[in-house]
Amino acid sequence: MYKCYPCLWKIKSDEYKNRNLRDEAYKNLIEFYKMRGFPDTNRDFIVKKIQSLRGSFRKETKKIQESQRSGRGTKEIYVSSLWYYDLLLFTKDQELPVDTLSSVSNIDTQEDIQDARNEENKEEEESEMEESSTSRQNAPKNDVSFYKCLLIRISNYYNEIVKS
């Protein structure tokens, strides 16, 4: 049923960007669930269910990919135990790719990696900071939550670099 509505899962399509089409798809899924014996189904339930299924699917896909990369024999490659794994394979190419270092050449140290990523994200961060500062013009100067958020983002960014 979910596969019938690419507006809900096909990220690069124009249908995905059409809010009215997505709303209609959610309404149809709600009706489908109500007919299947879930009378209290609402949009929030459907969205959480889809997120849960896709999240489990991503974890299983990651396990499979890691077992293939580990150099194990073909008999030891992980096989998913999710009953719906094969049913969601159509969404596999819709996941947003994670930045990798394979396209960056001549990087030898962690500092070089950090510098390269900083340059890539510099414009994006500057625009976010500009938006943030313009929306905060009327906020008090000692707004701790803004700085906590900033520190968390910096920490997460650093952890991503270290893991790479």
Side-chain angles (χ1 to χ4, degrees):
M1 185 75 174
Y2 179 56
K3 187 176 184 177
C4 297
Y5 299 106
C7 59
L8 298 178
W9 58 268
K10 199 169 189 177
I11 296 171
K12 295 177 183 175
S13 75
D14 290 334
E15 294 174 344
Y16 185 81
K17 298 169 188 166
N18 185 338
R19 185 178 304 240
N20 294 331
L21 193 57
R22 291 175 71 186
D23 287 342
E24 188 63 34
Y26 280 123
K27 286 179 187 175
N28 291 339
L29 286 174
I30 290 168
E31 290 304 315
F32 178 79
Y33 263 82
K34 285 183 178 181
M35 288 189 315
R36 299 282 185 194
F38 296 93
D40 298 331
T41 300
N42 57 24
R43 182 181 173 132
D44 188 46
F45 174 81
I46 297 292
V47 170
K48 286 181 181 179
K49 181 64 74 177
I50 290 170
Q51 288 174 345
S52 173
L53 294 171
R54 299 265 322 251
S56 297
F57 175 80
R58 279 190 295 271
K59 286 180 185 177
E60 290 292 301
T61 301
K62 186 176 179 181
K63 286 180 186 178
I64 291 170
Q65 290 172 344
E66 287 175 356
S67 74
Q68 290 171 342
R69 275 188 256 149
S70 69
R72 295 179 184 174
T74 55
K75 292 181 181 177
E76 296 178 17
I77 292 179
Y78 180 78
V79 177
S80 177
S81 59
L82 285 179
W83 65 270
Y84 55 86
Y85 182 82
D86 291 336
L87 297 173
L88 286 179
L89 279 174
F90 68 94
T91 65
K92 188 174 181 180
D93 64 337
Q94 297 302 311
E95 301 300 328
L96 295 175
V98 178
D99 290 341
T100 62
L101 298 177
S102 62
S103 62
V104 181
S105 60
N106 299 325
I107 294 181
D108 298 323
T109 65
Q110 288 291 347
E111 291 175 8
D112 292 335
I113 293 170
Q114 185 174 1
D115 290 343
R117 285 203 174 162
N118 284 341
E119 288 179 28
E120 288 177 2
N121 296 323
K122 185 178 179 181
E123 289 179 15
E124 182 179 323
E125 290 173 0
E126 286 175 356
S127 68
E128 287 177 3
M129 292 300 279
E130 286 176 18
E131 290 174 11
S132 172
S133 66
T134 55
S135 66
R136 291 180 25 82
Q137 286 177 350
N138 296 330
K141 297 289 184 191
N142 60 354
D143 186 5
V144 177
S145 62
F146 170 76
Y147 295 105
K148 278 185 178 178
C149 181
L150 185 61
L151 287 172
I152 291 169
R153 290 183 70 195
I154 291 170
S155 174
N156 289 342
Y157 181 70
Y158 177 76
N159 288 337
E160 287 178 21
I161 290 171
V162 171
K163 288 179 185 177
S164 300

